[in-house]
C-alpha cells in the first residue's frame, strides 16, 4: 500500500478525536535560518484538510488504525470490519515534512491504535516526534496521544518532544467505560494524568533553571464521548470539573457519539444532537472563566440536562430574574460576567470604560457589546428595561431561534 492510500485511511480514522487544538505552547520560529517550522502561542494553527474535506488545524493522523482493544464505540476496534493500514516511523516523518514544505500544515497531531503492547505503541509514537525534532530540527507544533499503561520513561520522552500530550478519559463514568471499553482501566488513565501533572508542575517550577527539562509546554488535555452512554450533562460536567481540578487540564473536549458500522447493540442507534456538544462547551467555559458552579449551570427539574434551545448562561439568568436588572455602572465584575451576552473581554472593556464615563446604551455599541441579549437584564444611564418584560414568560421567546420554513434547495 502506498503512502497516499495509507493517508486516506489513517487521516479518516483520526477524525473522531476532537482534542487537537494547537494553542498554548511556547513561541518558536526558524527565522534565524536554523531548523524548520514555527509556532505562534496566540494564534493557533489551521488550514489542513482531511480526505473528506474537513478543515483541520494539524496534520491529524493515526500511526496505525489496527488495535488490540475492542472498544464498542470505536470504528478502529479489533472486531471492526474496516481496512487497516500502518505508517512506518519514517513515512510519518516524511509526510509531516512534505506537508509543511507545501504550506498545508504547521504541525502534527499523532495518535495510534494499540498494537503489540502499550510500550511498543508509545515508543513508535515518540520515535516520530524525536526524529522530527532532532533529525530535521522541526520547530512546529506537535501533539502526541499518550498510552495510559506506557512506562514512565516513555512518557517523559514524549513530553520532551511534544508541545501537548493528551489521554482520553473516553466516557464520563467508570461503569460506562467498563461496559463499553472493557480493556481500558479508568484508574490507569487517571494515574497517567497524575504523572503528567507532576511532570508539568516540575517543569514549571524549574523553568528559570539553566538545566530545566522541557516537558509539554502546552500542557495536557482529554476528550469525552457524549451520547454513547446514558450520562446526563450534569454528570459529564462533574467529571470535567474533577479533571480540571485534579490534573490541571488545559481542555476537556466533548465529542458527540457517531454511530458506526456493525455497531454493538449496547450503543444508541442515533447520534445525540450536535447542539448538545455545543452547549457542553458553553457550560465548560462558564465553569472555567465565569465563576459558575455546576449546580448553577444544570437544572435538576430538567433531569440534569442543559436546554438545547438557549445557551446555559441565559437559562441561568431566566431562572434567577430576581438578580436583574443589573446596573452596569455599579455592578461588580463577578456579577457582570453573569449577564447574558457579556463575555469576559466585554466585561473587561466595560470595567475600564466606566472609570472615565457613565455608560449609556450608545457606549455599549461603541464597545462592540451585543446589546440585544443584554438589554433586558441591565440598567444604564439612559436605559431601564420594563419590569413587565423581565417578569414575563414571553422573555425567553425573544431569544429562541425563530422557526423557519424548510425549502427544497432550489
Amino acid at each position: 500500500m502506498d503512502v497516499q492510500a495509507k493517508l486516506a485511511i489513517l487521516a479518516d480514522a483520526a477524525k473522531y478525536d476532537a482534542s487537537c487544538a494547537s494553542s498554548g505552547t511556547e513561541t518558536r520560529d526558524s527565522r534565524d535560518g536554523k531548523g524548520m517550522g514555527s509556532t505562534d502561542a496566540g494564534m493557533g494553527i489551521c488550514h489542513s484538510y482531511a480526505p473528506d474535506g474537513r478543515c483541520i488545524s494539524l496534520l491529524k493522523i493515526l500511526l496505525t488504525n489496527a488495535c488490540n482493544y475492542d472498544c464498542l464505540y470505536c470504528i478502529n476496534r479489533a472486531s471492526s470490519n474496516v481496512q487497516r493500514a500502518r505508517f512506518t516511523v519514517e513515512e510519518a516523518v516524511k509526510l509531516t515534512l512534505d506537508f509543511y514544505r507545501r504550506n498545508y500544515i504547521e504541525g502534527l497531531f499523532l495518535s495510534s491504535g494499540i498494537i503489540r503492547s502499550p510500550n511498543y505503541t508509545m515508543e513508535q509514537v515518540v520515535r516520530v516526534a524525536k526524529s522530527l525534532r532532532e533529525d530535521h530540527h522541526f520547530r512546529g507544533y506537535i501533539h502526541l496521544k499518550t498510552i495510559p499503561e506506557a512506562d514512565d520513561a516513555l512518557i517523559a520522552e514524549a513530553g520532551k518532544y511534544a508541545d501537548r500530550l493528551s489521554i482520553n478519559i473516553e466516557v464520563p463514568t467508570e461503569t460506562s467505560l467498563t461496559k463499553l471499553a472493557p480493556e481500558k482501566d479508568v484508574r490507569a488513565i487517571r494515574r497517567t494524568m497524575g504523572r503528567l501533572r507532576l511532570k508539568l508542575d516540575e517543569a514549571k517550577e524549574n523553568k528559570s533553571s539553566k538545566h530545566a527539562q522541557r516537558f509539554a509546554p502546552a500542557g495536557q488535555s482529554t476528550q469525552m464521548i457524549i451520547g454513547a452512554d446514558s450520562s446526563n450533562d450534569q454528570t459529564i460536567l462533574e467529571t470535567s470539573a474533577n479533571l480540571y481540578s485534579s490534573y490541571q487540564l488545559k481542555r476537556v473536549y466533548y465529542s458527540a457519539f457517531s454511530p458506526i458500522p456493525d455497531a454493538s447493540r449496547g450503543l444508541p442507534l442515533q447520534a445525540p444532537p450536535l447542539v448538545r456538544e455545543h452547549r457542553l462547551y458553553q457550560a465548560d467555559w462558564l465553569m472555567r472563566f465565569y465563576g459558575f458552579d455546576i449546580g448553577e449551570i444544570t437544572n435538576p427539574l430538567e433531569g440534569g440536562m442543559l436546554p438545547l434551545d438557549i445557551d446555559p448562561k441565559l437559562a441561568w439568568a431566566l431562572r434567577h430574574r430576581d438578580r436583574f436588572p443589573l446596573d452596569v455602572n455599579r455592578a461588580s465584575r463577578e456579577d457582570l460576567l453573569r449577564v447574558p451576552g457579556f463575555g469576559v473581554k466585554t466585561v473587561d472593556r466595560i470595567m475600564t470604560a466606566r472609570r472615565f464615563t457613565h455608560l449609556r446604551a450608545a457606549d455599549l455599541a461603541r464597545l462592540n457589546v451585543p446589546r440585544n441579549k443584554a438589554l433586558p437584564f441591565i440598567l444604564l444611564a439612559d436605559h431601564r428595561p420594563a419590569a413587565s418584560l423581565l417578569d414575563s414568560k414571553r422573555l425567553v421567546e425573544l431569544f429562541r431561534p425563530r422557526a423557519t420554513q424548510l425549502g427544497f434547495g432550489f
Side-chain angles (χ1 to χ4, degrees):
M1 187 183 295
D2 62 27
V3 173
Q4 191 68 28
K6 292 180 181 180
L7 177 62
I9 295 169
L10 295 173
D12 186 69
K15 69 184 180 183
Y16 296 100
D17 202 318
S19 58
C20 64
S22 57
S23 60
T25 190
E26 60 193 359
T27 301
R28 299 186 300 273
D29 61 55
S30 51
R31 288 177 292 184
D32 56 3
K34 299 177 181 178
M36 176 189 299
S38 64
T39 61
D40 188 319
M43 296 299 292
I45 301 170
C46 59
H47 307 312
S48 181
Y49 293 87
D52 62 358
R54 294 174 303 108
C55 182
I56 57 176
S57 47
L58 309 171
L59 173 59
K60 182 180 177 184
I61 55 174
L62 300 183
L63 199 58
T64 179
N65 65 337
C67 191
N68 297 338
Y69 293 175
D70 202 34
C71 306
L72 300 185
Y73 49 77
C74 182
I75 190 66
N76 302 311
R77 68 193 185 280
S79 61
S80 181
N81 184 24
V82 296
Q83 189 175 12
R84 307 289 180 173
R86 177 183 176 183
F87 284 126
T88 65
V89 170
E90 293 73 22
E91 285 172 336
V93 170
K94 185 177 185 300
L95 192 65
T96 303
L97 297 175
D98 286 348
F99 268 53
Y100 173 77
R101 290 188 180 104
R102 294 175 185 177
N103 203 30
Y104 292 166
I105 61 153
E106 301 225 23
L108 171 68
F109 173 91
L110 183 62
S111 184
S112 181
I114 309 298
I115 52 174
R116 296 195 190 177
S117 69
N119 278 342
Y120 175 80
T121 305
M122 192 72 219
E123 182 183 10
Q124 297 297 298
V125 169
V126 171
R127 279 184 59 199
V128 174
K130 182 178 181 179
S131 179
L132 284 168
R133 294 293 195 217
E134 295 191 348
D135 299 336
H136 302 278
H137 307 289
F138 182 69
R139 299 187 179 184
Y141 186 89
I142 297 179
H143 181 154
L144 298 181
K145 249 326 185 311
T146 307
I147 311 301
E149 296 85 356
D151 286 345
D152 197 56
L154 288 169
I155 301 295
E157 192 173 14
K160 179 180 177 181
Y161 302 115
D163 292 280
R164 175 170 288 182
L165 299 174
S166 60
I167 175 171
N168 287 352
I169 197 73
E170 306 293 6
V171 287
T173 67
E174 182 177 359
T175 302
S176 294
L177 189 66
T178 301
K179 176 183 176 182
L180 300 176
E183 294 94 348
K184 292 189 175 180
D185 181 357
V186 71
R187 293 177 179 83
I189 293 172
R190 286 182 172 265
R191 277 198 304 270
T192 304
M193 286 181 171
R195 288 153 61 192
L196 290 177
R197 178 182 177 177
L198 290 175
K199 292 182 184 298
L200 288 165
D201 289 345
E202 183 180 350
K204 187 181 296 184
E205 290 175 4
N206 299 330
K207 191 174 182 179
S208 58
S209 171
K210 293 182 180 180
H211 305 290
Q213 293 292 317
R214 180 187 187 278
F215 190 87
Q220 65 168 317
S221 60
T222 193
Q223 173 178 311
M224 273 192 285
I225 300 170
I226 306 306
D229 67 351
S230 59
S231 297
N232 61 22
D233 293 338
Q234 181 171 344
T235 299
I236 293 167
L237 292 172
E238 286 172 348
T239 300
S240 295
N242 177 267
L243 292 172
Y244 281 125
S245 62
S246 299
Y247 308 110
Q248 298 295 300
L249 298 187
K250 291 293 185 179
R251 287 289 300 274
V252 174
Y253 291 86
Y254 306 98
S255 179
F257 167 72
S258 178
I260 55 178
D262 305 319
S264 164
R265 292 182 179 179
L267 293 173
L269 297 177
Q270 291 185 331
L274 282 176
V275 70
R276 183 185 178 193
E277 178 184 303
H278 179 58
R279 296 302 182 210
L280 283 166
Y281 276 116
Q282 291 177 319
D284 186 285
W285 278 61
L286 292 183
M287 290 193 303
R288 294 165 60 207
F289 303 114
Y290 289 78
F292 281 76
D293 293 327
I294 296 170
E296 297 179 292
I297 299 172
T298 56
N299 184 0
L301 299 179
E302 296 177 355
M305 299 296 289
L306 298 169
L308 299 180
D309 54 346
I310 56 175
D311 69 78
K313 189 203 277 193
L314 176 59
W316 177 87
L318 292 171
R319 293 196 303 270
H320 297 84
R321 303 187 197 200
D322 57 301
R323 298 183 60 165
F324 301 100
L326 203 64
D327 189 338
V328 172
N329 289 289
R330 296 175 180 271
S332 67
R333 184 177 186 276
E334 290 73 20
D335 285 339
L336 289 174
L337 284 171
R338 292 179 175 249
V339 174
F342 280 11
V344 174
K345 291 183 179 179
T346 292
V347 170
D348 289 341
R349 287 197 296 265
I350 288 172
M351 297 295 290
T352 299
R354 75 184 193 182
R355 292 165 54 193
F356 307 100
T357 185
H358 211 55
L359 293 175
R360 297 172 174 269
D363 295 319
L364 293 189
R366 283 191 285 271
L367 292 171
N368 296 319
V369 174
R371 296 184 301 165
N372 289 342
K373 184 179 285 189
L375 286 176
F377 299 94
I378 59 174
L379 296 173
L380 295 162
D382 60 346
H383 167 75
R384 175 179 290 272
S388 58
L389 174 63
L390 190 58
D391 295 334
S392 172
K393 294 182 179 179
R394 296 183 297 106
L395 181 58
V396 67
E397 300 301 329
L398 297 177
F399 305 107
R400 282 189 174 129
R402 294 178 180 273
T404 56
Q405 174 68 50
L406 295 177
F408 293 99
F410 55 79

